[in-house]
């Protein structure tokens, strides 16, 4: 597939007005996407677990307008008008206009809500942009008539990517790959695809408890972060390493080798942060509590033989990953040892999920 394949033929139908609702989850990368080229093309392939409970629900109401000269939309979060979200959505509309040319012909009301608190420091861009992209693709399906499901999902993921790169990994589950990788022939830089190979049952219902260490605004936006990889002294080596780590994970997923899974996932998280510490300008996005948690996880693993591990986003919060069969033991450990390092004791229990759903 190329970008051209996502430019639609002239629409055969007209629709005056309507509304679509989609619910779409967040995802957590195991091999991280960090660095991009023009048009949101990733500098390296990534793979993520789709989450189940951290999600966004978006209703997109649309009505035909007379002129097609500008984008016209209002955004609401939990029923409250949010003009502050408009610039990001305006940029998104500009990027996708050639692929969904109907967008200038309608006025949109975007009503969105998240299951996780907006100020939790959990990025809502993956779930939010994928939910919006799905609503738009649904409208287009109405304008073109029949569209097969595979193309529908690819197009929605393609559009979501243009909103926020990692959003293209949120549509399906439970594992999604984005970015070309030589061992995964269906992988693409343009959209996410369901991980196509065998996954050992040890990874079924894998748990992700998100420890909210710092709920403040992101210190470094991901746009700034990705740009730090241009002219980064270690960029090329890092991009190579992501390919190698994804190859290694294919074997891990097949064989259920949790020790190797831990090595790869924690190394990826620390590498992401190492990239930020060694860029110019440089940043430290971990907080003292992030390190406290990591150290306690390492001690707990050492002492109990648990298969618990951590991963990080581009921030201070910690995602604690563990197999379902360890729920009770790790749950106790989190409550007794780790919650003290969370801001206001807040954390979110989530697990692997299976992607977005249309709400009809
Ligand atoms: O989708 P963006 O542009 O917000 O980038 C997300 C980057 C990381 O979350 C740090 C890693 C990833 O692959 O999700």
């Amino acid at each position: 597939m190329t970008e051209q394949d996502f430019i639609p033929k002239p629409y055969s139908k007209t629709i005056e007005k309507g509304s679509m609702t989609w619910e779409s989850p967040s995802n957590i990368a195991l091999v991280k996407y960090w660095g991009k080229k023009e048009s949101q093309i990733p500098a390296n392939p990534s793979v993520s677990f789709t989450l189940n409970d951290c999600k966004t629900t978006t209703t997109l109401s649309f009505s035909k307008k007379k002129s097609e000269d500008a984008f016209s939309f209002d955004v609401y979060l939990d029923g409250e008008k949010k003009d502050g979200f408009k610039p990001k959505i305006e940029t998104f509309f500009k990027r996708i206009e050639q692929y969904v040319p109907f967008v200038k012909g309608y006025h949109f009301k975007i009503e969105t809500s998240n299951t996780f608190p907006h100020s939790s420091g959990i990025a809502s861009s993956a779930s939010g942009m994928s939910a919006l992209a799905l609503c738009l693709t649904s409208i287009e399906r109405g304008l073109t008539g029949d569209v097969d499901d595979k193309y529908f999902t690819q197009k929605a993921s393609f559009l979501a990517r243009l909103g926020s790169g990692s959003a293209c990994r949120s549509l399906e589950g439970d594992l999604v790959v984005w970015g070309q990788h030589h061992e995964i022939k269906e992988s693409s830089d343009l959209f996410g695809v369901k991980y196509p190979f065998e996954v050992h049952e040890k990874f079924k219902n894998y748990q992700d408890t998100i420890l909210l260490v710092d709920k403040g605004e992101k210190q470094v936006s991901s746009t700034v972060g990705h740009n730090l990889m241009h002219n980064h002294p270690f960029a090329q080596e890092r991009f190579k390493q992501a390919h190698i780590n994804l190859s290694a994970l294919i074997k891990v997923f097949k064989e259920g080798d949790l020790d190797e899974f831990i090595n790869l996932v924690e190394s990826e998280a620390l590498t992401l942060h190492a990239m930020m510490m060694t860029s110019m300008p440089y940043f430290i996005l971990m907080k003292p509590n992030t390190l406290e948690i990591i150290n306690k996880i390492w001690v707990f693993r050492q002492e109990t033989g648990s298969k618990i591990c951590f991963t990080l986003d581009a921030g201070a919060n910690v995602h604690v990953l563990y197999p379902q069969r360890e729920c009770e033991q790790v749950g106790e450990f989190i409550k007794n040892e780790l919650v003290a390092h969370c801001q206001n004791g807040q954390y979110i229990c989530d697990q692997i999920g299976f992607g977005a759903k249309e709400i009809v």
Side-chain angles (χ1 to χ4, degrees), residues 183 195 197-200 203 244-258 260-261 264:
E183 287 180 62
Y195 179 75
F197 305 133
E198 193 182 334
V199 179
H200 197 279
F203 293 103
I244 294 168
N245 284 350
L246 184 43
S247 288
L249 268 182
I250 293 173
K251 189 160 176 274
V252 163
F253 286 136
K254 182 162 184 270
E255 293 173 359
D257 182 347
L258 293 182
E260 192 53 17
F261 177 77
L264 289 164

Side-chain angles (χ1 to χ4, degrees), residues 85-347:
F85 290 1
K86 287 184 91 167
K88 194 159 185 196
I89 293 173
E90 178 95 21
T91 305
F92 175 52
F93 278 175
K94 275 190 204 138
R95 284 194 195 143
I96 63 171
E97 189 190 352
Q98 58 170 314
Y99 305 108
V100 275
F102 71 87
V103 282
K104 270 209 176 137
Y106 289 90
H107 172 74
F108 296 100
K109 183 179 185 190
I110 305 167
E111 291 168 282
T112 185
S113 61
N114 300 321
T115 54
F116 45 92
H118 181 60
S119 59
S120 62
I122 300 194
S124 57
S125 57
S127 52
M129 282 298 176
S130 53
L132 182 56
L134 282 157
C135 290
L136 289 164
T137 315
S138 286
I139 297 175
E140 186 174 71
R141 177 153 61 181
L143 294 168
T144 42
D146 249 5
V147 170
D148 76 67
D149 286 349
K150 184 172 173 198
Y151 180 79
F152 178 88
T153 308
Q154 281 176 347
K155 176 132 191 193
S157 176
F158 174 88
L159 296 177
R161 185 196 98 242
L162 292 168
S164 171
S166 59
C168 79
R169 295 189 312 239
S170 273
L171 287 79
E172 296 175 281
D174 40 0
L175 275 165
V176 175
V177 176
W178 168 42
Q180 255 183 17
H181 185 272
H182 73 285
E183 287 180 62
I184 306 174
K185 71 170 183 350
E186 41 287 86
S187 62
S188 168
D189 285 346
L190 300 180
F191 47 82
V193 297
K194 234 170 109 71
Y195 179 75
F197 305 133
E198 193 182 334
V199 179
H200 197 279
E201 50 125 3
K202 285 183 188 165
F203 293 103
K204 290 244 150 62
N205 302 323
Y206 225 72
Q207 304 290 303
D208 180 4
T209 300
I210 308 162
L211 304 178
L212 306 178
V213 170
D214 182 24
K215 304 194 293 157
E217 279 290 303
K218 274 193 181 179
Q219 216 188 96
V220 184
S221 74
S222 51
T223 312
V224 170
H226 290 293
N227 284 336
L228 294 173
M229 291 304 276
H230 294 305
N231 305 317
H232 190 294
F234 309 136
Q236 295 315 315
E237 278 307 308
R238 159 61 198 153
F239 301 147
K240 257 195 255 164
Q241 181 199 40
H243 284 265
I244 294 168
N245 284 350
L246 184 43
S247 288
L249 268 182
I250 293 173
K251 189 160 176 274
V252 163
F253 286 136
K254 182 162 184 270
E255 293 173 359
D257 182 347
L258 293 182
D259 293 323
E260 192 53 17
F261 177 77
I262 292 168
N263 289 338
L264 289 164
V265 167
E266 292 190 345
S267 162
E268 274 289 319
L270 295 178
T271 301
L272 168 70
H273 282 255
M275 289 298 114
M276 275 175 272
M277 289 191 231
T278 49
S279 55
M280 194 57 84
Y282 41 82
F283 297 94
I284 300 181
L285 301 186
M286 289 187 257
K287 298 283 183 205
N289 277 327
T290 313
L291 291 176
E292 291 285 350
I293 290 168
I294 291 174
N295 279 307
K296 283 194 172 172
I297 287 174
W298 284 347
V299 170
F300 179 75
R301 198 162 69 213
Q302 185 84 41
E303 285 176 351
T304 63
S306 159
K307 302 301 179 195
I308 188 175
C309 71
F310 70 86
T311 187
L312 306 165
D313 266 339
N317 295 334
V318 183
H319 287 250
V320 184
L321 304 178
Y322 49 99
Q324 191 189 29
R325 62 178 158 77
E326 289 190 22
C327 261
E328 208 172 309
Q329 181 199 13
V330 173
E332 282 299 303
F333 164 63
I334 290 173
K335 267 189 249 147
N336 297 338
E337 300 270 345
L338 303 186
V339 169
H341 301 291
C342 297
Q343 206 172 343
N344 305 325
Q346 278 186 285
Y347 63 103

Side-chain angles (χ1 to χ4, degrees), residues 28-75:
I28 179 68
L30 304 170
V31 172
K32 307 287 180 183
Y33 148 61
W34 199 241
K36 63 180 169 185
K37 307 176 202 165
E38 271 291 285
S39 322
Q40 305 270 102
I41 297 299
N44 64 259
S46 56
V47 64
S48 52
F49 275 155
T50 305
L51 296 184
N52 194 55
D53 297 323
C54 286
K55 55 193 175 194
T56 298
T57 304
T58 297
T59 296
L60 184 64
S61 310
F62 55 101
S63 53
K64 212 156 177 51
K65 57 186 178 66
K66 297 225 162 57
S67 72
E68 298 203 357
D69 52 348
F71 301 119
S72 167
F73 62 92
D74 291 309
V75 199

